Amino acid sequence: MLDIKRLRENKDEVIKALEKRGGGFPIEEVLSLDEERRSKITEVEDKKAEKNKVSKEIPNLKKEGKDIGNILENMRVLGDDIKVLDDQVRELDEKIRNLLLNIPNTPNELVPEGNDDSDNVEIRKVGEIKEFNFEPKSHWDLGEELGILDAKRAGKISGSRFNVFRDKGAKLERAITQFMIDLHTIEGDFIEISPPFIVNRDSMIGTGQLPKFKDDMFYVPQKDMFLIPTAEVPVTNLHRGEILSKEDLPIKYAAYTPCFRAEAGSAGRDTRGLIRNHQFDKVELVKFTDEESSYDELESLLNSAEEVLKRLEIPYRVVRLCGGDLGFSSAMTYDIEVWMPSYNDYVEISSCSNFEDYQARRMNIRYRDEDGKVKHVHTLNGSGLAVGRTFAAVVENYQREDGSIEIPQALRKYLPFDEIN
């Protein structure tokens, strides 16, 4: 959520920054309501001060035997006026908050101009694309042939955009997850978290999924709760409402969870295979930092996510998202895109984002600096890669002409086999 003080003091700067997202956000309406709110607060504080003053005088007037009937009536009217004003302030608070909850974060100045993913800026490519001496197959065709993926039976159980991992496929999926978690929490310095997979409404509001993206979420009406779209939601909310110590920052968490998305806005896209499913697994990385170091921590987060593909020796590229492709809560995002032979292109497999203090304001997560001043933390999030997409990338990039799949060296210690045939 944007800082209302920043809107007051730097309105033109905020409006200009939001133009990278297309503009048209109700900044003027927020400021008009805020001005009305502050005016009513001044009015109600004056009336409360008057009421307190007269209240202190009443006992003396009674002792002097003076008639205080008119004074008491005036006090009653004054109390009614105060109640009305307090109610009006609360209504204005709610209106302002609802508007702010629907205004996205302002992009960092390094975020390029652009309307969609075609305008994203390539930062680097890593690894050599393998040249096959045969026509490579898609992971969904090869997975079905080898009996490691079963989309048909998944469709019978749940419907479209679900998949069953079977036999060696199930073991490979589990091995990829274990490899990622170990990389980040045993070799790396992230703390492993195993969070709930169902969260309350406040948690979804805190990270920015609600109210903007409610149609993309799976809702549990009996409890007014939601299946998580990513581990970012429960893990970032771990410190909601807390004041942290700067000495403890950065705090780094890694979590494996299944993720659930309705994909309401993606009809007809990537309907086959593991690229865009309603249920999928991810290993998520979350950081809480101070404002001074958050962009250094973003680069470090990106390196942590890249290390997965480097270890697996799968080619990929890193792009910086343009304003039109930037996530709602993000100030800057890098996407990691893995090479997929079936697409003959790079496909997004991880996003690493700095939300600055946007999520922290929604969740009221703060820290106390060396001078004792309380500030909002900066939150960062990156997937240590989507497990299903990593599975797909392994299958496609490590396939052999005879239809078998070689297991990458980095995964072999987690598996009782070194190939799938």
Side-chain angles (χ1 to χ4, degrees):
M1 188 162 59
L2 298 181
D3 182 4
I4 189 68
K5 183 179 178 182
R6 180 185 174 201
L7 295 186
R8 291 187 205 119
E9 297 176 356
N10 300 285
K11 179 188 74 173
D12 292 341
E13 171 202 303
V14 172
I15 290 174
K16 181 174 176 57
L18 288 172
E19 286 176 358
K20 284 187 177 180
R21 293 183 177 274
F25 301 103
I27 303 299
E28 296 287 2
E29 184 179 356
V30 169
L31 290 175
S32 176
L33 290 170
D34 178 59
E35 185 176 351
E36 182 182 354
R37 173 186 172 276
R38 286 188 291 155
S39 174
K40 289 188 181 298
I41 287 175
T42 299
E43 185 179 354
V44 76
E45 286 178 348
D46 289 344
K47 288 183 181 294
K48 286 177 179 178
E50 180 184 352
K51 184 179 180 183
N52 289 337
K53 179 183 176 182
V54 174
S55 295
K56 291 177 181 178
E57 294 173 352
I58 287 176
N60 292 330
L61 293 173
K62 284 183 176 180
K63 287 180 182 179
E64 295 172 5
K66 293 184 178 180
D67 183 6
I68 60 171
N70 288 337
I71 295 175
L72 292 175
E73 176 61 21
N74 290 337
M75 291 287 283
R76 185 190 65 76
V77 172
L78 193 59
D80 290 343
D81 290 344
I82 289 170
K83 183 179 183 304
V84 169
L85 286 167
D86 280 339
D87 289 342
Q88 291 174 344
V89 169
R90 279 191 290 272
E91 288 175 9
L92 288 167
D93 280 337
E94 186 175 352
K95 286 181 181 179
I96 292 167
R97 177 173 170 78
N98 287 339
L99 286 170
L100 287 174
L101 287 175
N102 284 281
I103 297 174
N105 201 356
T106 50
N108 180 276
E109 60 183 8
L110 294 178
V111 172
E113 303 276 354
N115 298 319
D116 53 39
D117 58 6
S118 64
D119 296 315
N120 294 340
V121 175
E122 184 179 290
I123 304 299
R124 57 180 168 271
K125 286 181 178 175
V126 178
E128 294 294 323
I129 295 173
K130 182 178 179 180
E131 292 187 11
F132 295 95
N133 57 9
F134 59 93
E135 185 67 28
K137 295 180 180 179
S138 65
H139 65 276
W140 54 87
D141 286 335
L142 194 54
E144 184 177 346
E145 290 174 12
L146 291 170
I148 59 174
L149 290 176
D150 195 340
K152 291 180 180 177
R153 287 189 174 93
K156 177 173 65 176
I157 297 166
S158 302
S160 63
R161 298 199 180 190
F162 289 89
N163 225 302
V164 168
F165 294 85
R166 183 178 179 276
D167 194 19
K168 290 184 177 180
K171 290 180 174 60
L172 176 58
E173 182 200 28
R174 178 157 48 89
I176 291 170
T177 302
Q178 188 68 56
F179 159 65
M180 291 183 187
I181 284 290
D182 287 355
L183 178 63
H184 297 312
T185 66
I186 297 177
E187 293 190 45
D189 58 356
F190 287 81
I191 298 168
E192 185 172 355
I193 298 292
S194 181
F197 305 155
I198 303 176
V199 297
N200 57 34
R201 185 175 293 272
D202 284 344
S203 295
M204 295 289 274
I205 290 172
T207 46
Q209 275 72 28
L210 293 181
K212 179 71 173 177
F213 301 106
K214 61 181 176 63
D215 291 339
D216 287 329
M217 304 302 130
F218 282 106
Y219 180 53
V220 184
Q222 299 94 324
K223 296 288 187 179
D224 189 29
M225 298 178 81
F226 298 83
L227 302 184
I228 61 170
T230 163
E232 171 197 346
V233 178
V235 176
T236 311
N237 274 277
L238 280 173
H239 294 294
R240 188 174 74 220
E242 296 181 19
I243 298 179
L244 309 173
S245 170
K246 183 169 182 177
E247 288 72 32
D248 294 331
L249 301 178
I251 297 172
K252 305 178 183 181
Y253 293 133
Y256 153 77
T257 66
C259 307
F260 307 89
R261 297 185 188 177
E263 297 285 2
S266 58
R269 297 176 59 189
D270 303 313
T271 55
R272 302 186 70 186
L274 301 172
I275 302 303
R276 195 176 296 276
N277 285 350
H278 290 310
Q279 177 184 322
F280 55 97
D281 292 343
K282 281 177 76 177
V283 173
E284 205 79 26
L285 306 177
V286 172
K287 290 186 180 183
F288 301 84
T289 78
D290 58 51
E291 58 183 333
E292 292 83 12
S293 62
S294 68
Y295 277 93
D296 289 337
E297 290 294 342
L298 176 61
E299 297 299 323
S300 173
L301 184 71
L302 176 62
N303 291 337
S304 295
E306 285 185 74
E307 187 62 23
V308 174
L309 292 176
K310 287 179 179 177
R311 298 284 184 96
L312 294 175
E313 299 183 86
I314 298 175
Y316 67 91
R317 70 172 186 163
V318 176
V319 299
R320 180 180 288 135
L321 300 196
C322 70
D325 199 30
L326 196 63
F328 181 82
S329 299
S330 177
M332 190 165 83
T333 295
Y334 292 109
D335 267 6
I336 301 175
E337 300 177 346
V338 69
W339 178 256
M340 296 289 287
S342 63
Y343 284 71
N344 195 35
D345 201 357
Y346 292 94
V347 175
E348 185 263 317
I349 197 170
S350 173
S351 289
C352 297
S353 300
N354 188 347
F355 305 111
E356 296 184 354
D357 64 359
Y358 185 85
Q359 291 181 327
R361 289 185 180 280
R362 297 167 81 106
M363 289 181 276
N364 196 28
I365 307 175
R366 296 169 291 168
Y367 71 98
R368 198 178 303 276
D369 68 12
E370 299 92 335
D371 300 322
K373 185 177 180 181
V374 176
K375 301 178 179 178
H376 286 92
V377 300
H378 282 202
T379 59
L380 296 89
N381 164 254
S383 55
L385 305 196
V387 175
R389 293 189 183 196
T390 305
F391 180 104
V394 167
V395 168
E396 292 196 9
N397 284 279
Y398 278 87
Q399 62 182 294
R400 298 167 172 155
E401 188 172 7
D402 64 1
S404 64
I405 301 165
E406 179 186 358
I407 300 300
Q409 193 67 41
L411 298 177
R412 291 187 181 182
K413 70 176 182 178
Y414 298 101
L415 292 166
F417 49 85
D418 59 14
E419 67 175 14
I420 298 175
N421 52 28

